[in-house]
Amino acid sequence: MSELYSLFSHVINRHRLASSQLVLGFSGGMDSRVMLALLAQYRDETNCECCAVYVHHGLSQHADEWAKQCQRWAQHAAIPFFIERVQLDTDSGESVESLARTARYQVLANYINADDLLLTGQHSDDQIETFLLALKRGSGPKGLSSMAQAMSFGAGKIVRPLLAATRVQIESFAITQNLDWVEDESNQDTRFDRNFIRHHITPVLMQRWPHIHQAVARSATLCAQQQVLLEELLQEAMQEAKMPDGSLSITALSHRSELARYQLLRMWLAQLGESMPTQEHLAMIWQQVASARIDANPRLKLGQSEIRRFDQKLYCIQTYQDISDWQAMIVPDQSVTLPDGLGNLTLSSNGASKGIALPDDCHQLSVTFNPEGLAACPSGRVGSRKLKKLFQEYGVPSWLRRRTPILMHRNQVVAIANLFVDRDFSGQDCELIWDK
């Protein structure tokens, strides 16, 4: 049994359950090629379920050739193989590295069910690169903890069985086993920070300090432990600040020191799956959003999301497309598909609590999201009010007021989904059902 296989099997055995499927993220590079060979040997010994997934980013002219080669290697190893093609929005402003990584993991998550393990081929040289990149960004303990050997991923875990191995050990195994692999030409491009570190920094560090791998691993582990301890100590404060709707209480945060407040913000954003904000962004969240004047409607762009304030709470919301101009006709007992993933709207005559009286010309009913200039009088009240004021009364955050379906008859408001029916259309013919 080789030393590398012993390491691989030991790590897998620590995390694999009887029901676990092993899913290999297979690029065809040296690291993942070695992982395929190790996985095939492990499968033969344990009879576990496994597969390999190649994510085709379309970034290289050789990508189709690599995909076919990976398929041949997987077939030779009798491991089920899948190709997933993704398209990257290279005009988004994010780095190609970041876009490719995000797309890759989004696709791979679809293969991970409960208890399954996603296997990736990172090793200790990669850990040095990740640590130094975090250091370059000025990261704290969480960033400097770099890559964990295992962590939650989708419904299962991501496991890095070779994280304690060096690139030299992996290459030696590949040569001994007569393995061939694909060479991605982009790995030589030192315009990418990771490649610059790999080719110009790590070799110098290793020459000066041969045990730098172990030193970085220890530092990363200590940072991870400090981060876990910090979160344990602030758990009670987090429970106090976190609201049932996922928002964060500004009042609760204001009772904490600045250091504790910023850490609570980090923990909150991490729980939401957001990228870690810089110290500058944390200050802006508190000063420009949480502490903005009471009549303001502050917002702060943070990656693909926005930090907003409503009712003395902070919200982290996805940036949405403008659907103000969207509208569609609706007829009783037929579903209308709403835009931008907002679900379906049905005017149902089978509802238990119907609430709406249909006009004679019900073919003139429509759905819109634009409340501009509209007014209504909720059933049971006297006098109409602008929808802007009614949304405020019903506690609808400002960013949801143009994402809440409005049922119209000609130019009159009939109902606002999940809020109220207008007094002039109150009755027992139909119920407006918003299935999100």
Side-chain angles (χ1 to χ4, degrees):
M1 179 184 294
S2 73
E3 182 181 355
L4 205 62
Y5 178 73
S6 178
L7 173 63
F8 178 91
S9 57
H10 174 72
V11 174
I12 297 297
N13 289 337
R14 286 180 56 192
H15 301 284
R16 185 175 76 91
L17 303 176
S19 59
S20 299
Q21 177 186 216
L22 306 183
V23 179
L24 174 63
F26 188 37
S27 67
M30 180 181 69
D31 306 330
S32 70
R33 180 70 181 92
V34 167
M35 288 278 286
L36 182 74
L38 296 172
L39 178 58
Q41 183 177 348
Y42 186 83
R43 185 272 321 276
D44 292 342
E45 291 188 3
T46 64
N47 198 33
C48 66
E49 288 190 33
C50 60
C51 69
V53 183
Y54 178 88
V55 181
H56 191 313
H57 300 100
L59 295 174
S60 171
Q61 60 181 341
H62 305 296
D64 289 335
E65 178 187 337
W66 294 340
K68 292 176 183 177
Q69 183 61 69
C70 287
Q71 185 171 26
R72 286 192 290 268
W73 285 326
Q75 287 174 341
H76 185 263
I79 291 179
F81 178 78
F82 303 93
I83 298 176
E84 291 285 349
R85 296 176 182 271
V86 297
Q87 288 188 329
L88 306 182
D89 181 10
T90 53
D91 296 326
S92 66
E94 288 192 58
S95 71
V96 174
E97 292 171 286
S98 176
L99 290 170
R101 182 172 56 252
T102 300
R104 181 165 62 251
Y105 283 122
Q106 285 176 343
V107 165
L108 291 170
N110 295 329
Y111 287 82
I112 305 301
N113 297 312
D115 301 331
D116 290 349
L117 306 183
L118 171 63
L119 308 183
T120 59
Q122 290 95 347
H123 44 71
S124 61
D125 291 69
D126 295 319
Q127 187 76 304
I128 291 176
E129 295 161 12
T130 302
F131 186 88
L132 291 178
L133 286 170
L135 193 63
K136 183 209 70 156
R137 292 192 299 267
S139 299
K142 188 175 182 65
L144 292 173
S145 64
S146 304
M147 294 181 290
Q149 187 181 80
M151 61 184 294
S152 297
F153 179 77
K157 287 183 179 180
I158 182 171
V159 178
R160 302 177 175 94
L162 303 184
L163 195 58
T166 66
R167 180 178 283 112
V168 170
Q169 288 176 291
I170 293 171
E171 185 174 11
S172 176
F173 178 91
I175 293 172
T176 301
Q177 298 296 315
N178 294 317
L179 301 178
D180 50 352
W181 57 86
V182 301
E183 291 285 0
D184 187 339
E185 68 276 7
S186 69
N187 288 335
Q188 304 302 316
D189 189 347
T190 54
R191 290 177 300 175
F192 297 117
D193 289 342
R194 185 175 288 275
N195 289 341
F196 176 78
I197 293 172
R198 180 176 305 165
H199 295 293
H200 296 297
I201 304 298
T202 304
V204 176
L205 294 176
M206 291 175 61
Q207 184 177 10
R208 175 77 179 191
W209 300 296
H211 300 292
I212 189 68
H213 296 87
Q214 295 93 319
V216 168
R218 282 197 303 273
S219 290
T221 299
L222 287 170
C223 287
Q225 291 172 350
Q226 293 298 310
Q227 182 66 28
V228 169
L229 177 60
L230 185 60
E231 293 184 6
E232 283 182 5
L233 294 174
L234 285 174
Q235 196 56 46
E236 186 176 333
M238 190 66 194
Q239 290 174 355
E240 177 188 339
K242 187 88 172 283
M243 299 290 101
D245 62 356
S247 63
L248 212 57
S249 166
I250 293 174
T251 302
L253 290 177
S254 67
H255 295 156
R256 303 290 171 180
S257 69
E258 183 179 275
L259 289 176
R261 184 187 306 142
Y262 285 3
Q263 181 57 32
L264 289 168
L265 286 169
R266 289 190 191 97
M267 291 168 61
W268 175 58
L269 292 169
Q271 290 174 7
L272 295 173
E274 298 293 326
S275 299
M276 280 299 94
T278 64
Q279 195 78 0
E280 181 182 8
H281 276 132
L282 290 171
M284 292 169 68
I285 289 173
W286 186 252
Q287 295 165 9
Q288 297 182 19
V289 182
S291 304
R293 69 179 192 275
I294 197 67
D295 60 341
N297 183 23
R299 66 175 70 184
L300 177 68
K301 190 85 165 59
L302 194 67
Q304 299 300 311
S305 304
E306 283 186 342
I307 305 299
R308 305 288 295 264
R309 184 189 69 183
F310 178 74
D311 194 24
Q312 279 300 97
K313 292 179 286 188
L314 291 174
Y315 290 83
C316 180
I317 64 170
Q318 297 298 307
T319 50
Y320 303 123
Q321 69 179 62
D322 184 0
I323 55 175
S324 300
D325 293 334
W326 183 93
Q327 62 178 9
M329 305 307 293
I330 186 170
V331 297
D333 296 319
Q334 287 188 15
S335 180
V336 170
T337 300
L338 301 175
D340 205 24
L342 285 173
N344 300 298
L345 197 68
T346 306
L347 196 56
S348 173
S349 61
N350 298 316
S353 54
K354 296 179 179 179
I356 295 176
L358 291 176
D360 293 336
D361 55 344
C362 59
H363 63 280
Q364 294 291 334
L365 292 169
S366 63
V367 182
T368 183
F369 287 93
N370 189 357
E372 195 72 33
L374 298 179
C377 177
S379 179
R381 293 173 54 168
V382 177
S384 64
R385 303 197 71 187
K386 293 289 186 181
L387 289 194
K388 178 181 179 180
K389 295 294 185 182
L390 290 172
F391 277 136
Q392 290 175 348
E393 284 186 31
Y394 281 87
V396 179
S398 58
W399 58 90
L400 294 181
R401 294 172 191 173
R402 289 178 182 265
R403 295 184 65 80
T404 300
I406 305 169
L407 179 64
M408 302 286 296
H409 175 249
R410 298 182 185 273
N411 295 318
Q412 288 182 277
V413 174
V414 176
I416 308 294
N418 292 354
L419 290 185
F420 63 81
V421 176
D422 185 86
R423 177 187 59 189
D424 293 343
F425 293 90
S426 178
Q428 295 299 313
D429 293 331
C430 283
E431 177 184 8
L432 190 62
I433 301 174
W434 185 10
D435 183 7
K436 301 180 185 180

